[in-house]
Every structure is written in C-alpha cells, then in structure tokens.
Amino acid sequence: MRRVPVGAVVLAGAMVFMFILTNLAGWFGDGAPRETVPADPARPFAGTPAQDWADGDAGIVIPPIEAVGTHSTEAIADAYARAREVVAAAMLEPAVIMGVDYEPYLRLFAEGDQESLRAVLADPERVDRFVVRLGPDTTLLPVPPKVRGRMWAESGGTGKLLVKTRFVVVYPLHTDEGPQVQVARLDMDLTVVGEGRPVADRGVWLNETQGYPAECGHPSGGVNAITGGGGLPDALFDPDRPIDPGSSCPR
C-alpha cells in the first residue's frame, strides 16, 4: 500500500503579551471598538476562536455510526475508534509532540506500514508531515489544549474503509514573555483494512497528510490582535478551511 504525503504540519504561533482581543472582528483591522482583557496563564485561550472548544481528546469526536456501502456499523465503529487513536497520538500524546518517543503513534499502524513511518520520523525534515512536533524545549501550561475537527468514513473497497480526519489543536505555552498559543492543523486520510483482506495487510495505513506550514503568509505569527503586528487570523483555527495547494495555507 502506498503513502502519498502532501503538505506539512507545522505550528503557527502568536505571542500574547499584555492583552488578548475578545472582539474577533478587530483582528482584521475594520476599526470596530476593541474590548481587551489582561493575559492570564490560566485562561490562555481567552479572546481566541478556540476559547469555547473542547479540552484535549474530548474534541476528537466520533460521528454517528452508520453503515457505509457494504461495511457494517461494527466495521465503521472500529475504524472510527482506530482513527481517533491515531489523531490523539499524533496531536496530543506528550511523548510524541515533544519528540521524545514516537512509538505510541507508530504502534497504531499495521505492521507493514510501521517500518516506512519509522524511517520518516527519524528524518527531522519530514517529521512534521506526520505528527505535531513542539520540541523538547517547549513548556506547556498546565491547561488542556483545545481541539476541534471532524472525521468521516468512505468505502475503500472490500474490507477497506477510508477514514478522513480534519483537526486543529491549539496549545497553551509558557514563555518568558508570557502566555503563548500555537496552532497546528493535521488532515489525515487513513485506510483501515479489516476482514476480507490478507491478515498481513490488516490494520491502519496512512495514505495522505496535509497541514499548515509555519509561514502561511504570516512569518512572525500572523496579524496582531490589537495593532496588526502579531496574532493569529481566524482561518488558522478552521479545520474546514480549504488549503491552497500552491502554498499549503488556508485560503
């Protein structure tokens, strides 16, 4: 089975210094009155689109279980559960996102896929195509990250289901300058091979990955919430925002 990675997952960061905007319209410089609140490490998402999102893996929601083509509801439920585990490992597992240990992610895939994935994760230039990587020098605030997105299933043929996942995670970071939020989006198309296929092929296979590169037209973190010089635009928080194939940035 062939994997075709497209794009990369990288983090887009916005420094939140003395104030965080609570009037999101002001992010785009329309001159609307701006209400501000002091930055608070206990509420790092205040004033951002993520402030009311679910915490952690509670945001990785499995849709209603319905049969797809000839695939039973049992097969759909199993595929969704496996996909949920992969998303959680790639975007939330501390050892993975800190670059300490990728095994919690790797072991979720079919044995036939693990060798090539392990080689990819050993290459610093390619890691971000498959998992979120904050790095060992990052300090997370003791607040759960915020998660939003969706998944759905399509038939991949006899004994194969394609589960497409689109998720954004917003991470609360501690820095010397104050609280900082970083946004990562990871779109994964996973093939779940089950009954009716050779035993050696059964399990989860990664087909494609796509996400946001660091720049996305905002090399210093986007557009400032107050002055126009350093925050994050709404587009980066939207898991359904189309990604420009030419730049891998939200349109």
Side-chain angles (χ1 to χ4, degrees):
M1 189 168 295
R2 188 162 174 247
R3 179 182 311 102
V4 186
V6 290
V9 172
V10 199
L11 300 175
M15 294 304 301
V16 183
F17 293 99
M18 297 301 295
F19 300 99
I20 299 174
L21 190 67
T22 57
N23 184 342
L24 297 180
W27 289 26
F28 298 96
D30 62 357
R34 294 174 170 84
E35 178 186 357
T36 60
V37 295
D40 182 355
R43 301 175 60 246
F45 308 107
T48 76
Q51 63 182 358
D52 296 321
W53 292 6
D55 293 336
D57 63 4
I60 309 175
V61 179
I62 290 176
I65 307 300
E66 299 176 351
V68 175
T70 60
H71 302 277
S72 67
T73 55
E74 289 79 6
I76 299 297
D78 176 71
Y80 281 152
R82 290 173 181 265
R84 187 178 189 275
E85 288 182 330
V86 171
V87 173
M91 304 189 80
L92 296 174
E93 170 59 45
V96 172
I97 66 177
M98 294 300 180
V100 175
D101 182 9
Y102 296 121
E103 289 302 317
Y105 169 80
L106 289 167
R107 66 182 179 223
L108 300 175
F109 291 91
E111 288 187 14
D113 213 19
Q114 290 183 21
E115 183 177 353
S116 57
L117 279 172
R118 189 171 283 107
V120 165
L121 297 178
D123 183 349
E125 299 299 320
R126 301 172 68 193
V127 170
D128 291 328
R129 296 188 180 197
F130 300 89
V131 299
V132 171
R133 181 177 56 174
L134 296 178
D137 296 329
T138 302
T139 301
L140 288 166
L141 291 169
V143 177
K146 294 290 188 178
V147 181
R148 182 185 180 193
R150 63 191 182 99
M151 66 175 70
W152 68 97
E154 299 175 0
S155 178
T158 303
K160 295 197 298 184
L161 276 165
L162 179 64
V163 180
K164 297 188 174 185
T165 71
R166 307 287 183 265
F167 285 91
V168 171
V169 179
V170 185
Y171 303 88
L173 308 185
H174 167 78
T175 74
D176 292 339
E177 292 80 14
Q180 175 182 358
V181 295
Q182 287 190 314
V183 181
R185 173 171 166 182
L186 182 58
D187 298 356
M188 292 186 288
D189 291 354
L190 307 168
T191 294
V192 181
V193 180
E195 298 295 329
R197 307 293 295 184
V199 174
D201 291 344
R202 293 178 190 173
V204 180
W205 298 74
L206 181 59
N207 293 341
E208 295 185 358
T209 65
Q210 187 176 15
Y212 296 148
E215 58 276 12
C216 275
H218 310 284
S220 61
V223 180
N224 185 275
I226 299 173
T227 66
L232 287 172
D234 284 2
L236 292 179
F237 293 81
D238 186 352
D240 290 319
R241 188 86 173 195
I243 297 176
D244 187 333
S247 66
S248 294
C249 293
R251 292 186 295 198

